[in-house]
Amino acid sequence: MFVYSGTLISKFSIRHGWQSCVGFVAVAYAVLVGEEALITWLSGSGVLGSHDFVFSTLMYGAAVFMLARALPETETIRKFAFLGGLSLNIYLVHILFLWPLLKFYDVSQLWMTLLIAAVTFGLSTAFSVLLVRIPFLRYFST
């Protein structure tokens, strides 16, 4: 649903400045938190938790996508856009690095968990960049 809504939004030009889009993101986030609080209250759980794929999540995703499109193009934005193009590939290959690391290292301490997360992200990103450089796999990697 997010990909489809992003595709729909990408077909239209953004007529708002990035400052307005920041406001849209803030409003969408407030609605998201409000909806989470309402779900928590109605369920009687008493614990504010995350309920993925509720209506406001779609609104928040669309607002963030609009903000990303409205930002002026700079070198930093181009680097983030390149990483964004690799994000699905990074997600798909990260398990190849995470499983062996979890097999050999104890993650009972926070610093080790953060270290393993950083190493997994770094290796997955490097591997994804290599896959993009292979002509046959480029189509499937970005």
Side-chain angles (χ1 to χ4, degrees):
M1 188 68 163
F2 287 110
V3 174
Y4 181 67
S5 65
T7 302
L8 290 177
I9 293 170
S10 71
K11 304 233 183 272
F12 299 99
S13 65
I14 302 296
R15 293 188 177 96
H16 305 284
W18 67 268
Q19 297 91 343
S20 299
C21 291
V22 169
F24 296 153
V25 170
V27 168
Y29 186 74
V31 171
L32 179 74
V33 170
E35 190 175 44
E36 291 289 338
L38 180 64
I39 290 171
T40 301
W41 177 67
L42 289 175
S43 68
S45 70
V47 177
L48 187 65
S50 177
H51 303 90
D52 287 336
F53 305 114
V54 290
F55 177 73
S56 60
T57 307
L58 184 60
M59 180 179 156
Y60 180 68
V64 169
F65 186 75
M66 286 177 62
L67 173 63
R69 291 197 54 224
L71 290 173
E73 190 167 329
T74 63
E75 186 61 32
T76 303
I77 296 297
R78 280 191 285 279
K79 288 179 183 177
F80 276 113
F82 176 72
L83 278 177
L86 293 177
S87 62
L88 178 61
N89 201 37
I90 292 169
Y91 172 72
L92 292 174
V93 302
H94 84 280
I95 203 70
L96 298 173
F97 302 102
L98 183 61
W99 274 352
L101 289 171
L102 290 177
K103 180 86 171 155
F104 295 109
Y105 295 100
D106 178 30
V107 290
S108 61
Q109 296 179 349
L110 178 62
W111 70 270
M112 184 57 87
T113 302
L114 294 174
L115 179 64
I116 287 176
V119 169
T120 300
F121 177 73
L123 291 172
S124 300
T125 302
F127 188 66
S128 296
V129 169
L130 288 175
L131 288 177
V132 169
R133 295 179 188 265
I134 300 170
F136 172 71
L137 294 177
R138 182 176 298 135
Y139 177 76
F140 300 103
S141 302
T142 56

